[in-house]
Amino acid sequence: MRSDQRRLRVLQAIVQDYVHTREPVGSKAIADRHGFDVSSATIRNDMAALEEGGLIHQPHTSAGRVPTDRGYRAFVDSISQIKPLSSAEKRAIETWLEGAVDMDDVLIRAGRLLAQLTNQVAVVQYPNRKRHALRHVELVPISDHHAMLIAITDSGAVQQRTLEISLTDELATSIAARVNSATVGKAGPEITLDSKEFDHLPPLEKRMVGAITAVLKDVMTDEAEERLVMAGTANLARTNLDFARTITPVLEALEEQVVLLRLFADVGDELAVTIGEENQDEGLAEASIVTSMYGEPGTSRLGIVGPTRMDYANAMVSVRAVARYLTRILGS
């Protein structure tokens, strides 16, 4: 075996042992656990070369070595094939996701499942809704001075808003018909009061229609906003020792969903891993993110966030598997 091949094996052994034990790894432990057909002195030389290359470092004097971000990157890049899930694991994922009653439920289930499979924080991006348009509007008087606006989108989502407005049943039906005629098939930015359907309305009714279309525009704009489902945040507390400083910056980054959405948008590969300082946000400088596309190509992602000391192979196979099953279920 060439020295560069052996050094890669030594790096892989260090990553695997450190992930498993959280303890710095020494040359004797590598020789004993991984069956190298060389002496401990040779392994020490290999470790010195890996340290010089910035792939491992010694946290304190007389200690073993731990991987750096560059070391984890080299390890992840060396994973040529991802071990598939067992048949039992596949059936469990399929059964759990197929039990969902609607899209919200299936995304929540996917997040919980991913958090459980990886023991990390799971993040699931809602399918891109920016192209969705209005399908139908209803106005229902609920008191002398209030009415319920019900908006149904072409995705099947139903949104309700209470309006402070006085409507008789007859007037509600008439205005709803005009609003439907003027707005059905339009997305949020396209909904305006500027329509021939609203020409020649009496001033009072025109003010009512103006209030209704303004709320409807807000409803459809909210529908277009990107949203995330998160699960397993408590898993970070159990890995607090893996952060040199504190988990607070990671928690703050998770709360700022725009940070995660931006990270998702910056990743182009179907299955991607970003490690430590590869993450653009400073709060995630001690974290790793494993993501995969699902649904229509390039539209949505799901993934996990955790410390750089994570089981990358398990994370990658779990993220990819849940993404594939989610794609299948949403497409059926």
Side-chain angles (χ1 to χ4, degrees):
M1 179 186 297
R2 299 198 316 267
S3 61
D4 56 341
Q5 293 175 322
R6 189 181 62 248
R7 286 170 187 169
L8 177 58
R9 281 192 58 204
V10 170
L11 174 63
Q12 291 170 334
I14 291 172
V15 171
Q16 292 165 1
D17 286 1
Y18 182 61
V19 167
H20 179 68
T21 67
R22 198 186 271 118
E23 297 290 336
V25 182
S27 58
K28 187 175 185 305
I30 293 175
D32 292 344
R33 294 172 185 165
H34 296 276
F36 281 87
D37 191 22
V38 294
S39 66
S40 294
T42 299
I43 293 178
R44 281 195 297 274
N45 290 336
D46 290 336
M47 292 173 70
L50 292 171
E51 188 167 12
E52 184 177 353
L55 300 177
I56 60 175
H57 74 99
Q58 191 174 28
H60 50 81
T61 307
S62 302
R65 306 300 193 274
V66 301
T68 63
D69 287 356
R70 288 183 61 187
Y72 284 124
R73 167 51 59 196
F75 172 80
V76 168
D77 290 346
S78 74
I79 302 176
S80 57
Q81 289 186 328
I82 302 176
K83 177 185 174 184
L85 294 175
S86 67
S87 298
E89 290 171 325
K90 291 178 180 178
R91 283 195 300 273
I93 292 175
E94 192 170 12
T95 300
W96 174 247
L97 293 181
E98 286 183 344
V101 296
D102 56 24
M103 179 181 290
D104 288 335
D105 191 20
V106 74
L107 297 181
I108 290 170
R109 284 172 176 253
R112 290 175 178 170
L113 177 62
L114 197 51
Q116 183 177 356
L117 289 171
T118 62
N119 292 316
Q120 308 294 351
V121 180
V123 182
V124 183
Q125 181 183 18
Y126 264 73
N128 192 317
R129 297 183 173 190
K130 290 182 178 178
R131 296 188 302 273
H132 288 183
L134 187 66
R135 179 190 294 172
H136 182 69
V137 176
E138 289 186 20
L139 284 169
V140 181
I142 55 177
S143 73
D144 289 344
H145 303 290
H146 294 87
M148 180 71 72
L149 170 69
I150 303 172
I152 304 173
T153 72
D154 60 3
S155 67
V158 178
Q159 299 281 357
Q160 298 181 359
R161 297 290 189 277
T162 300
L163 306 177
E164 191 171 345
I165 191 172
S166 298
L167 291 175
T168 64
D169 290 338
E170 183 179 0
L171 188 55
T173 300
S174 172
I175 291 179
R178 289 181 181 274
V179 171
N180 273 297
S181 181
T183 61
V184 165
K186 294 183 178 180
E190 302 168 332
I191 295 175
T192 70
L193 189 58
D194 184 18
S195 169
K196 65 179 181 179
E197 296 294 335
F198 306 139
D199 290 345
H200 311 302
L201 281 175
L204 177 61
E205 289 186 28
K206 189 143 188 176
R207 286 197 296 273
M208 290 179 177
V209 170
I212 291 166
T213 54
V215 172
L216 193 58
K217 186 182 185 74
D218 288 342
V219 167
M220 293 304 297
T221 300
D222 288 344
E223 181 69 11
E225 288 181 353
E226 294 184 274
R227 292 188 288 160
L228 297 174
V229 171
M230 281 191 286
T233 307
N235 288 331
L236 275 181
R238 289 192 283 272
T239 57
N240 188 31
L241 294 176
D242 291 318
F243 296 93
R245 293 168 293 184
T246 171
I247 63 173
T248 301
V250 181
L251 292 173
E252 290 175 347
L254 290 174
E255 288 178 2
E256 292 289 336
Q257 294 196 0
V258 66
V259 171
L260 297 176
L261 288 168
R262 187 168 61 246
L263 289 171
F264 279 10
D266 290 341
V267 176
D269 297 335
E270 180 183 358
L271 179 67
V273 182
T274 56
I275 300 169
E277 293 183 355
E278 295 175 357
N279 296 309
Q280 297 299 312
D281 189 86
E282 185 178 351
L284 297 172
E286 291 188 68
S288 287
I289 302 174
V290 181
T291 69
S292 179
M293 293 179 182
Y294 79 90
E296 296 180 15
T299 60
S300 306
R301 300 190 76 89
L302 58 77
I304 58 101
V305 179
T308 54
R309 191 196 73 88
M310 71 164 62
D311 185 345
Y312 287 96
N314 175 65
M316 292 164 70
V317 67
S318 299
V319 167
R320 187 180 67 174
V322 174
R324 288 182 174 179
Y325 277 103
L326 192 53
T327 297
R328 183 185 306 172
I329 289 171
L330 293 179
S332 61

